[in-house]
Amino acid sequence: MTSTNLKIRIDGSAGSAAPYEQLRAQIADRARSGELPAGYKLPTVRGLAEELGLAANTVAKAYRALEGDGVIETRGRNGTFVAAAEGSSREAAAAAQSYAERAHRLGLTEAEALAAATAALRARYATASP
């Protein structure tokens, strides 16, 4: 069973992982690699279940696990999307966004803001203990 849009392949042979786990792992891997970019809209549970020949509950279980891991997010009636980032990456992205907004308010050019951030990172990582 293969999904044409997501390039998901479910192996139904004996000894393979449970279908929901295969689905969860493949979506997570594609999201982490950037193959499924942040903001990518995933198919509905029913739509993907039909496409893969799986029960809707199987796809729903995979989506719940992915959402719990922060890989995807559900936006109510708008659908399910690949989340912006995971854990510490999400926090770093939020901090970077705050910095960018502050640098802009201070009147720094993009080059000046980037130079300041680069200098701070170099200084911090040069003194970081292993």
Side-chain angles (χ1 to χ4, degrees), residues 7-105:
K7 299 178 186 164
I8 300 290
R9 180 162 169 33
I10 303 298
D11 182 358
S13 64
S16 59
Y20 91 89
E21 177 56 27
Q22 292 180 52
L23 179 59
R24 185 209 60 76
Q26 289 180 55
I27 291 174
D29 289 346
R30 284 177 175 79
R32 286 185 187 104
S33 73
E35 190 176 333
L36 291 178
Y40 180 88
K41 186 173 182 176
L42 295 169
T44 64
V45 167
R46 287 186 184 185
L48 187 55
E50 286 177 18
E51 193 173 339
L52 292 172
L54 298 173
N57 285 341
T58 300
V59 176
K61 185 175 182 179
Y63 275 20
R64 281 192 304 275
L66 288 162
E67 190 165 21
D69 292 342
V71 175
I72 65 173
E73 58 190 12
T74 302
R75 300 179 190 165
R77 291 185 170 265
N78 292 323
T80 303
F81 299 81
V82 174
E86 297 180 44
S88 59
S89 295
R90 185 180 316 198
E91 190 173 333
Q97 181 64 37
S98 293
Y99 171 73
E101 290 170 8
R102 174 103 174 140
H104 187 263
R105 281 194 309 272

Side-chain angles (χ1 to χ4, degrees), residues 99-100 103 108-122:
Y99 171 73
L108 295 172
T109 66
E110 183 179 343
E112 291 168 333
L114 185 57
T118 300
L121 286 167
R122 284 187 180 141

